[in-house]
Amino acid sequence: MMRALVTVVVGAVVTGVVIGLLPGITADGPWAVPAVAIVLGVFAAVLRPLLVTLLSAIGWPGVVAGWIVVQSLLVWVALQVTPGIHVDGFWPAFWASWLGAILMTIGLWLVTAGQQGVATRHLLRVNRRFRRSVPPTTVPGVIMIQIDGLSAPLARWAIEAGNLPTIGRWLRSGSHTLTKWHARMPATTPASQAGLLHGASDRVPAFRWYEKPAGRLVVTNHPADSALVESRLSDGRGLLADGGVSVSNVFSGDASTSLFTMSTLRGRRPGPARYLSAYLLDPFGLTRSLVLAAGEIVKELHQARRQRLRQVEPRMHRDWRYVLLRGATNVLLRNLNLTVIAEQIMRGAPTVFCDLVDYDEIAHHAGPARPEALASLDGIDGVLAVLEEVAAAAPRPYRFVVLSDHGQSQGATFRQRYGLTLEDLLAGELPGEDLVVAAGGNLALVYFPRLPGRATVEELEQRFPQLLPALTGHPGIGWVMVRSGRDGPVVLGRDGRRRLRDDHVDGADPLAGFGPHAADDLRRHDSLDHTGDLVINSLWDPVAGEVAAFEELIGCHGGLGGAQERPVLIHPRDFAVPGPLTGADAVYRVLCGWLEQTGCRTPRSLIRRG
């Protein structure tokens, strides 16, 4: 009751400020100001759902026009019918609606000190019709939230530092426990989600790769390519089969409902979906998010300037594209994901899997453990807090699982260190030779399109005798893996080589310091379809804890070295983990077991019997 009263008071104050500031709107007395605020609230509650349905049926033109004018129309009608209020036409009401939305957002944030209760109440209110229409059940649902790029060591540190208070409360209460797992190379979102959602990470050799038979580059954040890859992954029994919901992922996990998922973007019906229309047409949705996104952009400009003034190293230039991207991922996309998940919870969805990319995006540009990256975890934790509150009013109980797909490792980029890119280094040794370099983080797959099949070390030494010595002798290269026609896969370093077939080492072991899983990961990677003729990993400096990305990102992942290989799994304590987890496919099997345990998923054995 007190929170509702606060909202009404803030609304009345904002209405008074708007009337006082804008010409064309007057009030006969102070009593008329709260009256028009109450009338507007009633109109919004009654009429907006009908307008959302009508404008959604029109399509994108209706939704865009509606976002611009619906609130203005509601304000105009409220001003017209409220006694003691006078308005000179539509345009004063139009500007009043926008100024009011901005001031209301700022006012509620200041009064509530950023508390999540306002968002929870709003989500419960707009989804109440779903709650009433869904029959209750005691079968638990499972909400799986992926914090993209969060390593287990940093998760522990962030919990202790207070950046993840909701997760910290779960751990302290004993309801949840934290488990680390090993992300096999390549430590990327597409490879890990191919494993987490489909149990088929071996179909994805990198973030991007070249397929010689087809003569094409596959890039997994392109809808057409992600759809192609998922067609190779899916057997119809992905993690989200049996009525699950995929939100903002690369692959769908065979979900019945797939929202903002890269692999299913193509082929959707034209026009906005209902949930997107509702978000765009709700002043608490997009308009509020735009105000907060503007604040996020201002914060980014300040934090980037602070890094420059303090001469923080390593650092990178954070241009205007990233500035806008941060506002989009840290506010717009986060709030949209929250809105969508809350609706699915109130609809009683059995399982939901959503990838929140906020932290990963900032960590790429600012550094995994920098203040701005850690601050993004506060926002993600806030999403968990709101979802926990929404779930308490849902038609079924829900269990929460939080996991990551990989970690991140930090370091000045290859170009920053040596003044040239990996492509420049290769071109200097191979003038005029056709070459495809597919780099992701500190891992690069190199292809020779003119050479059929997988090029061998013997063939490369004959055709390009200086190439391999130039690569292994460069200080920015940790190791190079190549196939030998005689010895199978071999790993070459500056002062030695390792034969993976039997782990025989000549000279210094090139994998020394890269961790206990390095040789097994490379053996597996050598067996993958479409891996590179050369597989190149950057340096790994265990003293400084740094790698050297082949992309212009100071926080990176993809290869070996550092925390990028150590993601996290936070789960209810009664969800058992059978021993160490190596690879996303192993996590997939554990997740499937948990869903079967709760009754959200039909075991494969029962399907086969049927």
Side-chain angles (χ1 to χ4, degrees):
M1 187 66 182
M2 179 58 67
R3 290 178 176 177
L5 180 61
V6 168
T7 302
V8 171
V9 171
V10 172
V13 171
V14 166
T15 302
V17 171
V18 169
I19 292 175
L21 289 177
L22 293 180
I25 306 175
T26 57
D28 291 344
W31 59 269
V33 174
V36 73
I38 293 171
V39 170
L40 179 58
V42 172
F43 279 8
V46 174
L47 297 179
R48 184 174 290 111
L50 300 176
L51 291 171
V52 167
T53 301
L54 174 63
L55 293 169
S56 298
I58 298 174
W60 278 113
V63 171
V64 173
W67 171 61
I68 295 174
V69 302
V70 159
Q71 184 67 10
S72 304
L73 288 172
L74 293 175
V75 170
W76 181 64
V77 173
L79 293 172
Q80 291 279 8
V81 303
T82 302
I85 297 291
H86 309 280
V87 57
D88 299 334
F90 173 74
W91 287 108
F94 176 84
W95 296 115
S97 68
W98 282 92
L99 179 60
I102 293 171
L103 294 178
M104 190 71 178
T105 297
I106 296 172
L108 284 176
W109 191 90
L110 291 174
V111 170
T112 64
Q115 295 174 6
Q116 304 299 331
V118 174
T120 302
R121 292 195 304 276
H122 173 76
L123 292 171
L124 291 176
R125 178 176 60 80
V126 299
N127 289 301
R128 62 186 180 276
R129 64 189 183 280
F130 300 124
R131 173 65 180 86
R132 289 196 294 261
S133 64
V134 176
T137 177
T138 58
V139 177
V142 180
I143 306 298
M144 293 165 280
I145 301 297
Q146 177 179 302
I147 303 179
D148 205 299
L150 179 63
S151 70
L154 191 62
R156 283 284 189 192
W157 194 91
I159 291 167
E160 294 174 3
N163 296 102
L164 293 168
T166 301
I167 293 177
R169 171 168 51 82
W170 294 348
L171 296 177
R172 288 192 303 275
S173 72
S175 68
H176 284 67
T177 189
L178 185 152
T179 302
K180 65 180 180 180
W181 61 279
H182 172 67
R184 307 190 77 168
M185 194 185 84
T188 65
T189 299
S192 286
Q193 284 210 337
L196 295 171
L197 293 170
H198 290 279
S201 62
D202 57 355
R203 300 299 182 91
V204 180
F207 182 85
R208 56 180 66 86
W209 65 89
Y210 183 74
E211 300 191 348
K212 281 190 179 183
R216 61 170 291 174
L217 186 70
V218 175
V219 184
T220 48
N221 65 350
H222 294 175
D225 288 347
S226 59
L228 170 68
V229 175
E230 178 155 346
S231 70
R232 301 169 179 173
L233 302 173
S234 174
D235 62 357
R237 292 299 300 163
L239 180 68
L240 301 177
D242 296 336
V245 180
S246 168
V247 182
S248 292
N249 298 306
V250 179
F251 306 117
S252 74
D254 295 321
S256 302
T257 302
S258 186
L259 311 172
F260 313 128
T261 296
M262 193 66 64
S263 64
T264 60
L265 289 179
R266 289 168 62 91
R268 295 188 62 86
R269 65 177 179 84
R274 192 212 62 79
Y275 58 84
L276 185 57
S277 303
Y279 177 77
L280 294 173
L281 295 172
D282 186 345
F284 200 90
L286 182 60
T287 304
R288 172 178 177 271
S289 295
L290 287 174
V291 174
L292 297 178
E296 189 73 17
I297 288 171
V298 171
K299 185 164 61 174
E300 161 59 25
L301 295 173
H302 164 70
Q303 291 170 336
R305 181 175 181 271
R306 183 180 63 183
Q307 271 201 359
R308 293 193 302 271
L309 293 177
R310 297 177 63 194
Q311 298 183 342
V312 174
E313 297 292 345
R315 71 174 188 273
M316 61 177 289
H317 175 61
R318 290 141 69 167
D319 63 19
W320 63 270
R321 290 168 296 185
Y322 167 65
V323 174
L324 296 179
L325 181 63
R326 174 170 168 178
T329 58
N330 249 37
V331 179
L332 294 174
L333 184 57
R334 179 199 294 167
N335 287 345
L336 182 54
N337 286 332
L338 172 60
T339 300
V340 168
I341 299 171
E343 178 180 318
Q344 295 301 322
I345 288 175
M346 298 306 284
R347 286 176 177 268
T351 54
V352 179
F353 192 110
C354 177
D355 181 12
L356 299 180
V357 300
D358 320 23
Y359 166 79
D360 188 66
E361 197 61 54
I362 294 179
H364 277 312
H365 293 81
R370 299 287 166 72
E372 46 267 59
L374 294 175
S376 71
L377 295 176
D378 284 287
I380 293 173
D381 191 88
V383 169
L384 296 175
V386 171
L387 292 178
E388 184 181 32
E389 292 177 343
V390 170
R396 70 192 308 162
Y398 278 98
R399 315 296 300 277
F400 283 87
V401 173
V402 179
L403 73 165
S404 58
D405 48 348
H406 53 76
Q408 282 206 23
S409 299
Q410 185 170 285
T413 69
F414 191 88
R415 184 176 184 176
Q416 287 176 334
R417 294 169 187 264
Y418 308 110
L420 79 169
T421 64
L422 179 62
E423 290 88 340
D424 296 333
L425 176 61
L426 289 163
E429 301 299 328
L430 303 167
E433 180 69 23
D434 284 347
L435 203 63
V436 176
V437 180
N442 71 320
L443 179 74
L445 307 184
V446 179
Y447 303 84
F448 297 85
R450 293 183 185 178
L451 303 182
R454 180 89 172 272
T456 66
V457 64
E458 292 84 3
E459 188 174 9
L460 295 175
E461 287 175 341
Q462 181 180 7
R463 293 174 64 97
F464 316 110
Q466 301 303 316
L467 173 62
L468 293 175
L471 289 174
T472 58
H474 193 281
I477 305 295
W479 49 258
V480 178
M481 182 174 72
V482 63
R483 177 73 65 82
S484 167
R486 181 182 63 253
D487 298 326
V490 294
V491 184
L492 310 177
R494 178 193 296 261
D495 300 312
R497 57 189 284 157
R498 179 170 181 158
R499 193 168 59 207
L500 292 176
R501 186 173 62 193
D502 57 4
D503 285 326
H504 174 77
V505 175
D506 292 315
D509 184 359
L511 295 182
F514 280 93
H517 299 281
D520 286 339
D521 279 4
L522 290 185
R523 273 187 285 269
R524 171 182 175 274
H525 203 273
D526 174 74
S527 70
L528 303 184
D529 291 340
H530 310 300
T531 191
D533 296 324
L534 300 177
V535 179
I536 303 176
N537 200 90
S538 83
L539 67 86
W540 158 241
D541 182 347
V543 176
E546 292 190 348
V547 297
F550 299 123
E551 302 175 287
E552 291 310 300
L553 299 170
I554 63 168
C556 74
H557 52 89
L560 300 183
Q564 62 184 311
E565 311 158 35
R566 301 196 292 274
V568 68
L569 176 63
I570 299 164
H571 56 92
R573 188 173 290 275
D574 60 327
F575 284 4
V577 175
L581 296 175
T582 300
D585 294 6
V587 181
Y588 164 80
R589 292 188 290 271
V590 168
L591 294 175
C592 287
W594 293 345
L595 298 185
E596 293 172 7
Q597 173 184 330
T598 59
C600 293
R601 178 184 173 87
T602 305
R604 286 181 182 266
S605 59
L606 296 181
I607 294 174
R608 285 195 292 270
R609 290 193 197 118

